[in-house]
């Protein structure tokens, strides 16, 4: 800060030096005076010669009275010549004096103007320094409050940081980073669980611990609430305006400022009932995060979301979300996972485990979707899903029913080495006719061999062709090159 202030003052001095005027040198003044004297002398000499060149009457032609009058007039002309020469000199001196006065006034006004600009810039620099100093003091004080052992003081620090971010947009990312770092700190979730109140009667020494953990839980919920309030931008087009949490501004009881598309780093955090529905963020990292309670990212917009090795203990909702890249590799979904109507350019769910129903109905995957080695213990719903540019379910396990009805596959259908223990439905799904060995279809399903029609229908596969039930898992099936095929159930569907 001091170096910046010194640089600014140096710039001000340099600017002042560029526009200042040098004083007149003595040689200039002497030369100007000599020129004026010579001009005045030349004018006087010219007038003197002009007066002396008047015709003189011959002697004896004038009377004594006329000679006396002529002499008087001659003397008066000489005096007039001298007086006029002095007047010319005085006039020239007055002109020079006027020019000097004008120059002095001009220089004075210019210097005063430059001084005023320098003072104004100095005042601005001082105000900026004071603002930065005040900002630093407020930030340090709020950070100290956030690190207090008392929960009410920590909450006061959170609200102080919120007000600070509202007033200073350039500090919002820093404040969000600080709040996220607080949520990444260790948290004894089991101790804070209100269901453990029976500990009071048996272990009084644990009661204080549980109460402290419960207060910490409230502090964390407050941090999440602050993030939710200012990352939600359901009222689009108001990049820094007032937003009323999903309600029209006129009906909103309280209004909040959207902090912009910031970056969140909540890797390894423990989050409780996180609600970021309708949020607009640039990127968010939740690798190794545990989500307790209902979690919602519904209608959110994000360029990059990462949930590698994360755990969703209860229901999670991504419905109508718009994502560029979503990484759910090795993610554990304990509760129901609702990802219906979402739009994602690329989804990586390799190795993900869905303990409850996983819904991807009407989801759109514009670049690709990778569900390799994913496990679905309950229903897997992909009804009317669109796989525009590729999909992969290789090594996937469906312990429950799997519905891919009315899906659209833009590239090869890859169900290689898929284990299906429930019912599989591909009714009405469309897939392109690709060269040989490109499609890997589940047993009991195949694209028709009719080359005369652009749309094919799945024909039943005979029991002899299928073989024994243990051979039913996916096998490569070659199809002729055409445009589009349509998948329908075979006449005899086998559950395996």
């Amino acid at each position: 800060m001091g170096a910046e202030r010194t640089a600014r003052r140096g710039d001000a001095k340099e600017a002042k030096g560029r526009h200042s005027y040098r004083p007149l040198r003595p040689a200039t003044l002497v030369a100007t005076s000599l020129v004026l004297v010579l001009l005045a002398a030349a004018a006087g000499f010219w007038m003197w010669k002009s007066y002396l060149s008047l015709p003189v009457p011959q002697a004896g032609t004038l009377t004594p009275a006329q000679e006396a009058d002529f002499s008087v007039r001659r003397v008066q002309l000489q005096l007039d010549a001298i007086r006029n020469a002095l007047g010319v000199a005085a006039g020239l001196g007055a002109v020079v004096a006027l020019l000097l006065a004008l120059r002095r006034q001009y220089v004075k006004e210019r210097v005063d103007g430059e001084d005023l600009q320098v003072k104004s810039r100095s005042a601005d620099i001082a105000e900026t320094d004071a603002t930065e100093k005040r900002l630093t003091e407020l930030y340090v004080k709020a950070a100290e409050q956030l690190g207090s052992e008392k929960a009410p003081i920590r909450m006061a620090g959170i609200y102080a940081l919120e007000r600070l971010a509202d007033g200073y947009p350039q500090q919002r990312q820093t404040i969000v980073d600080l709040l996220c770092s607080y949520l990444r700190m260790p948290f004894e979730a089991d101790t804070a669980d209100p269901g453990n109140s029976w500990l009071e009667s048996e272990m009084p020494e644990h009661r204080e611990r549980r109460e402290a953990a419960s207060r910490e839980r409230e502090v964390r919920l407050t941090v999440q609430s602050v993030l939710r309030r200012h990352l939600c931008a359901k009222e689009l087009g108001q990049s820094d305006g007032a937003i009323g949490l999903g309600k029209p501004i006129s009906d909103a009881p309280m209004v909040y400022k959207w902090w912009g598309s910031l970056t969140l780093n909540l890797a390894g955090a423990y989050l409780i009932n996180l609600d970021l529905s309708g949020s607009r963020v640039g990127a968010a990292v939740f690798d190794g995060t545990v989500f307790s309670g209902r979690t919602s990212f519904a209608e959110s917009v994000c360029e990059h979301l990462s949930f590698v090795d994360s755990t969703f203990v209860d229901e999670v909702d991504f419905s109508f979300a718009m994502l560029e890249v979503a990484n759910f590799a090795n993610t554990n979904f304990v509760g129901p996972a609702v990802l219906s109507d979402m739009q994602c350019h690329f989804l990586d769910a390799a190795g993900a485990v869905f303990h409850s129903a996983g819904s991807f109905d009407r989801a759109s995957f514009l670049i690709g979707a990778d569900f390799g080695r994913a496990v679905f213990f309950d229903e897997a719903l992909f009804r009317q899903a669109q796989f525009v540019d590729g999909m992969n379910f290789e090594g996937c396990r469906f312990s429950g029913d799997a519905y891919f009805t009315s899906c659209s596959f833009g590239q090869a259908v890859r169900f290689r080495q898929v284990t299906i223990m429930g019912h599989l439905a591909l009714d009405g799904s469309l897939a392109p006719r690709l060269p040989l060995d490109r499609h890997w279809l589940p047993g009991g399903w195949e694209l028709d061999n009719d080359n005369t029609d652009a749309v094919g229908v799945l024909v039943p596969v005979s029991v002899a062709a299928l073989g024994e039930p243990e051979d039913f898992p996916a096998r490569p099936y070659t199809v002729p090159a055409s445009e589009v095929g349509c998948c329908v159930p075979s006449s005899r569907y086998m559950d395996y």
Side-chain angles (χ1 to χ4, degrees):
M1 185 182 299
E4 181 179 358
R5 182 166 59 251
T6 303
R8 291 176 180 174
R9 290 175 179 173
D11 293 340
K13 291 181 179 179
E14 182 180 359
K16 181 179 179 181
R18 285 197 303 265
H19 300 289
S20 61
Y21 289 87
R22 296 180 180 178
L24 292 177
R25 297 180 180 180
T28 304
L29 295 176
V30 172
T32 303
S33 301
L34 290 176
V35 170
L36 293 177
V37 170
L38 291 176
L39 289 176
F45 179 76
W46 177 78
M47 287 184 290
W48 181 270
K49 292 292 292 183
S50 298
Y51 293 145
L52 292 179
S53 63
L54 292 176
V56 181
Q58 296 180 358
T61 59
L62 297 176
T63 63
Q66 291 177 341
E67 290 180 359
D69 183 61
F70 180 79
S71 299
V72 171
R73 290 180 58 191
R74 187 179 181 85
V75 172
Q76 289 178 349
L77 290 175
Q78 292 175 351
L79 293 176
D80 291 339
I82 296 172
R83 184 168 55 250
N84 292 335
L86 294 176
V88 170
L92 291 175
V95 170
V96 172
L98 179 61
L99 292 176
L100 291 176
L102 291 176
R103 183 185 184 278
R104 183 168 53 252
Q105 182 64 25
Y106 175 76
V107 171
K108 182 177 181 302
E109 292 178 358
R110 189 64 179 265
V111 171
D112 291 343
E114 291 177 354
D115 290 341
L116 183 61
Q117 291 179 1
V118 171
K119 291 180 180 178
S120 178
R121 290 187 60 181
S122 300
D124 293 340
I125 294 173
E127 183 179 358
T128 302
D129 292 342
T131 301
E132 292 177 353
K133 181 179 179 180
R134 179 174 177 273
L135 175 61
T136 302
E137 292 176 352
L138 292 175
Y139 182 82
V140 171
K141 183 178 180 180
E144 291 177 352
Q145 290 177 329
L146 194 61
S148 174
E149 296 181 356
K150 298 181 180 180
I153 297 179
R154 293 199 296 273
M155 287 189 178
I158 294 169
Y159 291 126
L161 289 173
E162 181 183 14
R163 291 193 302 270
L164 200 61
D166 281 340
Y168 300 93
Q170 69 276 13
Q171 298 296 325
R172 289 173 181 172
Q173 182 62 64
T174 303
I175 292 173
V176 168
D177 292 340
L178 180 60
L179 295 177
C180 290
S181 65
Y182 185 87
L183 292 177
R184 292 197 304 269
M185 295 176 63
F187 174 59
E188 297 180 357
D190 295 337
T191 307
D193 188 356
N196 294 335
S197 58
W198 59 272
L199 295 173
E200 297 182 11
S201 58
E202 296 185 1
M203 294 173 286
E205 65 276 7
H206 291 171
R207 181 173 55 227
E208 183 177 352
R209 238 178 105 190
R210 185 179 62 81
E211 291 177 352
S214 179
R215 290 191 294 268
E216 173 63 15
R217 182 178 186 272
E218 294 301 321
V219 174
R220 289 174 171 266
L221 290 175
T222 301
V223 175
Q224 294 180 192
S225 177
V226 169
L227 294 176
R228 189 265 183 279
R229 285 199 295 262
H230 297 284
L231 297 179
C232 174
K234 290 185 177 179
E235 300 288 340
L236 296 179
Q238 302 185 27
S239 60
D240 194 32
I243 297 174
L245 295 185
K247 298 182 179 180
I249 294 180
S250 59
D251 299 335
M254 296 184 66
V255 292
Y256 304 99
K257 287 184 178 180
W258 180 46
W259 288 352
S261 297
L262 304 178
T263 300
L264 301 180
N265 182 9
L266 290 169
Y270 187 93
L271 305 177
I272 307 168
N273 297 325
L274 180 65
D275 182 9
L276 290 181
S277 58
S279 61
R280 304 292 187 268
V281 296
V285 179
F286 297 93
D287 296 345
T289 301
V290 176
F291 297 86
S292 176
R294 189 181 187 277
T295 303
S296 178
F297 288 87
E299 302 182 21
S300 60
V301 177
C302 184
E303 296 179 2
H304 185 275
L305 274 178
S306 181
F307 295 91
V308 178
D309 296 323
S310 296
T311 300
F312 293 91
V313 179
D314 296 288
E315 178 183 0
V316 57
D317 184 7
F318 283 89
S319 58
F320 297 97
M322 299 180 65
L323 311 175
E324 291 284 340
V325 177
N327 191 349
F328 292 95
N330 302 320
T331 300
N332 194 15
F333 296 90
V334 180
V338 181
L339 295 91
S340 56
D341 298 287
M342 72 177 295
Q343 180 176 323
C344 183
H345 284 70
F346 181 77
L347 177 71
D348 184 3
V353 179
F354 297 83
H355 294 269
S356 301
S359 175
F360 294 85
D361 292 341
R362 299 173 300 279
S364 298
F365 306 99
L366 304 181
I367 295 179
D370 185 8
F371 288 88
R373 307 183 315 281
V375 179
F376 293 84
F377 287 103
D378 207 326
E379 286 186 329
L381 306 176
F382 289 86
R383 295 167 295 193
Q384 301 181 23
Q386 296 183 5
F387 300 89
V388 178
D389 197 25
M391 50 81 74
N392 178 34
F393 283 86
E394 184 173 348
C396 205
R397 178 185 178 89
F398 296 93
S399 297
D401 297 336
Y403 295 91
F404 289 84
T405 56
S406 302
C407 288
S408 176
F409 300 98
Q411 296 294 331
V413 181
R414 299 180 59 85
F415 284 95
R416 184 173 181 268
Q417 297 180 354
V418 172
T419 302
I420 303 176
M421 304 182 67
H423 176 72
L424 174 66
L426 291 169
D427 308 65
S429 295
L430 303 177
R433 297 184 184 277
L434 299 174
L436 302 179
D437 300 332
R438 291 292 301 277
H439 286 300
W440 291 78
L441 297 174
W445 299 88
E446 64 179 359
L447 291 175
D448 73 305
N449 295 326
D450 187 1
N451 295 329
T452 61
D453 197 350
V455 178
V457 180
L458 188 73
V459 297
V461 180
S462 64
V463 176
L466 288 174
E468 298 300 326
E470 56 269 17
D471 297 331
F472 286 171
R475 59 185 178 83
Y477 185 80
T478 60
V479 297
S482 181
E483 295 181 0
V484 180
C486 182
C487 300
V488 297
S490 62
S491 59
R492 181 179 179 183
Y493 185 83
M494 307 293 293
D495 290 339
Y496 53 91

